[in-house]
Amino acid sequence: MSSDQDGGRGASEPTFEAGGERVAPSGVNLWANTDHAVAYLRERESIPHRADALEVLCELLPPAVTRVLDIGTGDGSTLALVLSARPVAEGVGVDFGEEMVRRARERFAGHARVA
């Protein structure tokens, strides 16, 4: 555990290691941290059952999807998957992580169906 001058409050709150994973105290959003976001992108394929969950997501999509809102889109990989499964749909991806938004914009550059 690390400490800081303000007693662990605010943006400089300490993070803890739990089973090799960074865990933030309540009220701290690690997703706004570029290093945390990039680490997730690097390791997401190793998340247990992730591929199964994405497959189920596509199976559960209604047949006539015309619009998709992906909140917490990250780099847009799930939005891209959904749009490939529903080729007439348009998508909007939102995220508050600057690095994630940059990567999503890069992924969808030139795609008229994504805002």
Side-chain angles (χ1 to χ4, degrees), residues 9-105:
R9 295 179 307 275
S12 60
E13 282 192 45
T15 58
F16 305 87
E17 294 290 325
E21 191 174 324
R22 282 181 26 170
V23 178
S26 177
V28 175
N29 181 1
L30 291 178
W31 292 106
N33 177 294
T34 298
D35 292 337
H36 182 77
V38 169
Y40 167 76
L41 293 175
R42 187 174 50 248
E43 299 167 10
R44 70 178 165 198
E45 297 306 320
S46 66
I47 296 172
H49 310 291
R50 182 176 184 275
D52 296 332
L54 293 172
E55 186 177 324
V56 169
L57 171 68
C58 288
E59 289 173 5
L60 296 175
L61 287 173
V65 173
T66 58
R67 295 179 131 191
V68 176
L69 173 60
D70 187 2
I71 300 172
T73 196
D75 70 346
S77 65
T78 302
L79 181 57
L81 178 68
V82 169
L83 294 177
S84 71
R86 298 298 182 266
V88 298
E90 296 178 346
V92 174
V94 295
D95 204 293
F96 51 72
E98 289 180 34
E99 179 64 17
M100 294 298 210
V101 170
R102 185 190 69 74
R103 289 175 184 239
R105 284 184 177 143

